[in-house]
Amino acid sequence: AATAAAALGPPLPSRRSRRSLQRGSRPPSPRDHGARPPTGARPGAAAVSGAGAADFAAKAPVRKERVFETRLGAGRAAARGQTRASSRPRGLPGQGGFQNLSIRLTPDESKERLGKIVDRIDSDGDGFVTTEELKVWIKRVQKRYIYDNVAKVWKDYDRDKDDRISWEEYKQATYGYYLGNPAEFSDTSDHHTFKKMLPRDERRFKAADLDGDLTATREEFTAFLHPEEFEHMKEIVVLETLEDIDKNGDGFVDQDEYIADMFSHEENGPEPDWVLSEREQFDEFRDLNKDGKLDKDEIRHWILPQDYDHAQAEARHLVYESDKNKDEKLTKEEILENWNMFVGSQATNYGEDLTKNHDEL
C-alpha cells in the first residue's frame, strides 16, 4: 500500500478543490452540471468500456461535481436565442471506440491515433514515456486548451473587430437580449440568474482588466475566462466559490454546505461512504482552525493548494496504472494496452485530441 501511495503521489484534493482547473468550452461560472472531467481526476465512467460502463453508471452514487460552469449557460444562451453548448467532451471511450459528433473511431483507429500522440509525448525519442514527460505534455495540453478556447470565442465578443473586448461588448453579447427584454424574464428563474451574474461578471472583468480601461486585451480576456490560471485572479476564484456554497449568507462554509455542494440527498436516505469520507476530510483537513466552518483563507487552501500539482498527480496516476513491469516508465505498448484510461485523461484532452491533425497538437 505504501508503494502504491508513493507512486500515485499525494492524495487528490476533493472535487471542489479540483474545481479551479476545470476547462469548460466557455468561460467559468457557478452551478456547473456538465463540465469537463477534472484535471488529475481518477478515471471514472469515462474510462469504463463495454458492458461494465453501464454497471458503473448504475452503481454510481448521486454526486454533484463542484466545478466552473460554462459562462454561456442554459439561461444566458437562451437570452441570446442560442442552444447551450455542452462543455463535456464530445466522445467517450467505450466498446465501440471513440465517438465524436463529427467523427467515429473504432478501437483500432483510436489506438492508432493515440500511438501518434505517444510519439509526441516521448520528447527524447528513447521509446519510453516518463512521468516527467507526461507532466510536461499535460501542462501543454492545458495551456493549449485555454488559448484555443479564447481564440474560438473571441469573435463572438469583439464586435468592432479592434482586437480588444470592452466590457460593454461583452455585456451586450452575453446579456443584451435580457437587458432589452426584461419583461420576458420577470417570472422565470433566469431573471434571478441574470440579476446575480451580471454584476458578478462585471466584478471579474474589472479584476482581469489590469490597466483599468474597461477594455480587455487577449491576455486580460484569458484571465477573465480562466481566472484560476492567473495569480492576480485567485481572490476572485475564492470569493466566487464562497458565494456559490454559502447558502445562509454568513460569509463562511459550514460542513453541511460543503457536503450539499457535491451531494444530493434522496428521500433522506443514508449517505454513501464517500460522503462520510468527505465529512472527515472537512473536519481533519479543510477546517484548519477547527471552528466548524471555512473562512476565505481555508477555502483558498482547499481549492488552490499551493503544494499540489494537478498535472504531476495525473501523470503519476497514469504511469502507475499502466506500468506493467513496474520500471516507472511506459512503453507505447503499455499505454495502448490501457488506452481507455489515456483517452479519458487530460493527456489526450479527454479524447478530443484523437480527432486533431498532427500539427494541431
Side-chain angles (χ1 to χ4, degrees), residues 121-306:
I121 299 174
D122 179 17
S123 58
D124 62 8
D126 66 350
F128 297 96
V129 170
T130 64
T131 300
E132 181 64 20
E133 286 174 324
L134 256 180
K135 182 188 78 171
V136 170
W137 181 262
I138 289 170
K139 287 182 178 291
R140 172 177 174 168
V141 170
Q142 292 171 352
K143 185 175 181 179
R144 171 168 51 81
Y145 179 85
I146 289 171
Y147 285 97
D148 283 355
N149 171 230
V150 173
K152 287 177 182 177
V153 304
W154 183 265
K155 64 180 183 299
D156 294 335
Y157 302 112
D158 182 17
R159 294 188 161 190
D160 61 8
K161 309 305 177 186
D162 65 347
D163 206 33
R164 298 170 71 86
I165 295 173
S166 68
W167 164 246
E168 193 63 27
E169 284 178 310
Y170 176 81
K171 182 175 71 173
Q172 289 302 319
T174 306
Y175 299 99
Y177 188 85
Y178 163 70
L179 294 172
N181 303 272
E184 293 188 25
F185 298 88
S186 59
D187 297 325
T188 68
S189 60
D190 287 337
H191 173 71
H192 176 73
T193 300
F194 293 144
K195 187 175 181 180
K196 172 184 176 182
M197 293 308 302
L198 178 55
R200 215 165 115 150
D201 278 358
E202 184 173 11
R203 180 182 66 193
R204 187 196 281 194
F205 192 96
K206 289 179 177 178
D209 177 27
L210 291 178
D211 59 9
D213 64 354
L214 288 180
T215 301
T217 62
R218 284 185 182 263
E219 191 70 6
E220 288 172 333
F221 199 63
T222 302
F224 173 64
L225 302 191
H226 299 277
E228 72 283 354
E229 300 296 327
F230 294 81
E231 191 62 36
H232 67 281
M233 298 294 290
K234 296 294 177 67
E235 289 306 312
I236 286 290
V237 173
V238 172
L239 180 58
E240 290 182 1
T241 301
L242 174 60
E243 291 172 345
D244 290 348
I245 309 179
D246 176 23
K247 300 306 181 183
N248 63 15
D250 65 352
F252 300 92
V253 173
D254 60 37
Q255 188 185 96
D256 287 338
E257 290 170 329
Y258 172 86
I259 294 299
D261 187 58
M262 61 184 82
F263 174 69
S264 295
H265 287 273
E266 288 191 340
E267 300 179 358
N268 297 317
E271 292 182 340
D273 289 344
W274 70 262
V275 173
L276 300 178
S277 176
E278 286 288 355
R279 290 191 182 278
E280 293 176 0
Q281 287 279 320
F282 182 95
D283 290 335
E284 295 180 24
F285 302 108
R286 312 297 182 210
D287 182 16
L288 300 178
N289 60 8
K290 309 305 178 186
D291 65 352
K293 55 190 177 183
L294 307 184
D295 58 25
K296 287 184 181 179
D297 288 337
E298 289 167 321
I299 291 173
R300 184 183 300 105
H301 186 269
W302 167 28
I303 66 171
L304 300 171
Q306 294 183 353

Side-chain angles (χ1 to χ4, degrees), residues 5-29:
L8 286 171
L12 287 171
S14 73
R15 280 122 216 101
R16 180 58 181 182
S17 61
R18 295 200 301 268
R19 158 203 200 270
S20 61
L21 291 179
Q22 303 308 304
R23 305 289 190 260
S25 62
R26 286 284 189 254
S29 62

Side-chain angles (χ1 to χ4, degrees), residues 84-104:
R84 178 177 179 175
S86 172
S87 59
R88 298 191 71 86
R90 291 182 176 180
L92 293 174
Q95 193 172 38
F98 179 84
Q99 295 191 359
N100 177 286
L101 289 180
S102 60
I103 189 170
R104 294 175 182 272

